[in-house]
Amino acid sequence: MSTERYQLNKELAQMLKGGVIMDVTTPEQAKIAEAAGACAVMALERIPADIRAAGGVSRMSDPAMIQGIQNAVSIPVMAKCRIGHFAEAQILEAIEIDYIDESEVLSPADDIYHIDKTKFKVPFVCGAKDLGEALRRIAEGASMIRTKGEPGTGDIIQAVRHMRKIQSEISNLAARREDELFEAAKQLQVPVELVRFVHEHKKLPVVNFAAGGVATPADAALMMQLGAEGVFVGSGIFKSGNPEKRASAIVKAVTNYHQPDILAKLSENLGEAMVGINENEIALLMAERGK
Amino acid sequence: MAVGILALQGAFIEHAHSLEQLSQDYILLRKKADIPKNLERLILPGGESTVQRKLLHELDLYSVLKEKILEDMPVLGTCAGLILLAGEIAGEETDGFRTLPVLVRRNAYGRQLGSFSAEGTVGEISNFPLRFIRAPYIEKILNPAVTVLNLTDQHITAVRYRNQIGTAFHPELTEDLRIHKMFLNL
């Protein structure tokens, strides 16, 4: 990927800021998401809660299904490939996906290597639990980062943990002396140039969204106040009682995340939220996949 | 001077940074109550126009802002902002401001793989860096009073009509402040 292409890809993520990216499994859901104000949709065959329930190996979605969604909406369409599965990524690039999510939600294809994302023209978003993971993915060519959270649970605790961790590690790095950055790079296992960027700018070099467990407008507002630049909502919408209303409320909560009076109104009468699973009740920690 | 930046969704902070470098204060507009009575300039940023259009209405900013645009308050719309201003959108209905008499085509260069950069003249500004991200272009001008400010590969990508400037590209993604400066001087 040329520097120029990488720049354009980072800039697309900038355009998504302040927005909500929603998981959808059909063209109909994609249209509902777009009408509710999604700034992009993530096309996948099964939402994380169902992947979790079904078990088994979870793979890239059928390209025909993804193309059906691409044809149904005018907003950017993202799709997931397995960690390390560069052939799936090549296929997604061939159908001109707007963003590839190299995602821990699917079964990892490689337990050592992530995809060399610098070899692609289309942009990648990757999950991270801490600053080291975020910067390693960026070094591999990711042009957007999201917290891993714990997908398909409707439980926000892990996304909160990951966002707080990333933010506090950024603050720590910013406070270090310049001559300490080499050692910091060594500890984080990342190139020193990226460490220097974070030290100087007090932020990641790419846009950082929250993901994994967002189920309510309040969850979205919480993540934005903790420093997320936008929010992914997976199972939280189409596993709830009234997807349209909930989706629309979460969109507005992301815009006015610091206005409790507006958030109160948005949280009214949304119907049933997804049931959810607490983190100590789950057998599979997807966030532990790919480090 | 009271300059507002529509901050419903998208790259509004980038515009704020451009204004900061010009030592110009600004107000982020997220809901009706944020709009100052004496608003004198409005910037409509890049982002997803479908989202911004919906929130403009639902958060009740639409009528107040439209009235001010019709009263000739200067407005700068970039990418999604251009789409919000456009009188017509190819192949779809619009409930945007419809104050700029042009026909705009959304995602005119296709998906993200069609995003590109170039350099060109914008009105009297030469060698301006042009960044097109899933950009629209202007397919047709609907009023002879509209001035073309930029042509890139034979497509109209920036126009001015009265005090409205619309660009298909993103001056806020560059270090070049000349378009913002020109806008503040209108």
Side-chain angles (χ1 to χ4, degrees):
Chain A
M1 182 166 27
S2 69
T3 328
E4 176 54 26
R5 180 53 53 188
Y6 185 55
Q7 189 60 31
L8 291 165
N9 287 342
K10 285 200 290 185
E11 287 169 354
L12 175 58
Q14 283 174 266
M15 295 306 142
L16 300 173
K17 282 188 303 180
V20 182
I21 300 169
M22 301 182 195
D23 278 1
V24 296
T25 59
T26 62
E28 292 68 38
Q29 286 186 355
K31 281 185 185 153
I32 292 172
E34 184 178 45
C39 68
V41 290
M42 177 77 69
L44 70 176
E45 261 158 27
R46 282 180 296 179
I47 55 176
D50 291 336
I51 292 175
R52 195 175 276 289
V57 175
S58 179
R59 311 177 177 89
M60 175 189 78
S61 299
D62 181 337
M65 170 267 173
I66 298 170
Q67 284 169 308
I69 287 171
Q70 284 177 313
N71 294 332
V73 294
S74 64
I75 54 179
V77 177
M78 304 183 165
K80 291 182 193 291
C81 73
R82 286 180 263 178
I83 290 174
H85 206 314
F86 51 85
E88 284 186 350
Q90 289 161 358
I91 292 169
L92 293 174
E93 181 168 71
I95 61 169
E96 293 205 20
I97 201 77
D98 290 302
Y99 243 97
I100 296 176
D101 184 0
E102 186 183 14
S103 178
E104 68 281 3
V105 169
L106 306 182
S107 307
D110 194 317
D111 55 3
I112 300 174
Y113 301 105
H114 278 74
I115 297 173
D116 177 0
K117 294 165 275 287
T118 63
K119 295 285 184 288
F120 289 78
K121 286 195 181 113
V122 290
F124 280 82
V125 55
C126 288
K129 299 195 299 292
D130 53 42
L131 183 61
E133 271 186 35
L135 294 180
R136 285 195 290 280
R137 298 296 86 77
I138 293 166
E140 292 157 3
S143 42
M144 180 177 183
I145 292 293
R146 56 171 174 74
T147 59
K148 285 179 166 173
E150 195 49 40
T153 60
D155 187 358
I156 198 68
I157 184 169
Q158 305 243 17
V160 166
R161 194 180 285 155
H162 301 161
M163 187 57 78
R164 278 194 187 272
K165 182 94 187 284
I166 291 172
Q167 301 294 359
S168 77
E169 287 179 308
I170 289 175
S171 306
N172 286 341
L173 209 48
R176 299 285 280 273
R177 281 169 53 98
E178 250 176 70
D179 59 5
E180 294 172 359
L181 298 182
F182 300 99
E183 176 61 20
K186 201 167 84 186
Q187 281 173 8
L188 292 168
Q189 304 174 47
V190 299
V192 71
E193 293 72 34
L194 291 176
V195 170
R196 283 212 185 93
F197 182 96
V198 175
H199 173 71
E200 190 183 333
H201 296 89
K202 301 182 176 60
K203 66 185 290 295
L204 291 179
V206 303
V207 166
N208 184 18
F209 269 45
V214 176
T216 66
D219 287 346
L222 174 68
M223 295 313 300
M224 293 297 286
Q225 290 188 36
L226 286 173
E229 295 180 280
V231 172
F232 283 84
V233 188
S235 319
I237 289 174
F238 290 101
K239 276 284 163 192
S240 74
N242 188 342
E244 278 133 338
K245 195 168 175 194
R246 184 167 293 269
S248 176
I250 292 176
V251 168
K252 279 179 244 174
V254 167
T255 298
N256 279 295
Y257 62 88
H258 52 353
Q259 296 284 331
D261 50 334
I262 295 182
L263 295 172
K265 277 248 167 305
L266 292 172
S267 304
E268 283 173 7
N269 304 315
L270 290 180
E272 205 174 327
M274 73 177 284
V275 176
I277 330 166
N278 291 308
E279 70 164 343
N280 52 7
E281 296 166 354
I282 50 180
L284 173 65
L285 268 178
M286 290 175 173
E288 292 305 315
R289 292 167 161 175
K291 296 190 180 169
Chain B
M1 181 164 65
V3 180
I5 305 175
L6 191 69
L8 298 174
Q9 187 273 327
F12 48 86
I13 290 300
E14 286 75 356
H15 277 289
H17 290 159
S18 299
L19 295 184
E20 278 163 16
Q21 289 185 56
L22 292 167
S23 307
Q24 172 64 55
D25 294 340
Y26 55 84
I27 306 147
L28 295 178
L29 310 177
R30 292 190 160 98
K31 55 185 191 306
K32 191 178 183 182
D34 295 335
I35 306 173
K37 283 221 159 36
N38 62 340
L39 186 69
E40 289 167 87
R41 291 281 186 289
L42 174 64
I43 295 179
L44 306 172
E48 274 307 311
S49 62
T50 51
V51 183
Q52 296 183 12
R53 220 157 68 198
K54 177 181 149 74
L55 293 178
L56 258 183
H57 287 277
E58 292 184 4
L59 295 168
D60 212 15
L61 296 106
Y62 179 79
S63 309
V64 185
L65 294 178
K66 178 161 182 170
E67 202 172 300
K68 292 201 178 267
I69 298 171
L70 289 173
E71 286 165 3
D72 269 348
M73 171 189 66
V75 52
L76 170 65
T78 63
C79 195
L82 164 69
I83 296 167
L84 289 186
L85 290 173
E88 293 178 29
I89 301 178
E92 55 184 287
E93 296 292 308
T94 173
D95 57 357
F97 292 119
R98 285 164 289 159
T99 49
L100 180 65
V102 295
L103 169 70
V104 158
R105 179 168 293 278
R106 290 180 60 211
N107 304 331
Y109 303 91
R111 303 182 189 284
Q112 174 61 4
L113 285 174
S115 293
F116 66 104
S117 66
E119 196 180 77
T121 300
V122 183
E124 304 194 331
I125 300 166
S126 56
N127 304 105
F128 196 88
L130 309 171
R131 313 215 48 94
F132 295 93
I133 313 292
R134 280 177 51 102
Y137 60 62
I138 293 161
E139 205 160 83
K140 206 169 147 193
I141 283 174
L142 306 172
N143 182 325
V146 174
T147 321
V148 173
L149 299 180
N150 176 267
L151 270 178
T152 297
D153 297 338
Q154 279 131 51
H155 294 299
I156 302 171
T157 61
V159 292
R160 177 171 174 184
Y161 172 71
R162 302 173 69 102
N163 273 341
Q164 303 173 49
I165 297 173
T167 69
F169 48 85
H170 294 276
E172 74 278 15
L173 292 178
T174 73
E175 299 293 312
D176 198 320
L177 301 169
R178 286 177 293 167
I179 288 182
H180 285 90
K181 211 167 168 177
M182 181 250 295
F183 171 66
L184 293 176
N185 287 328
L186 281 185

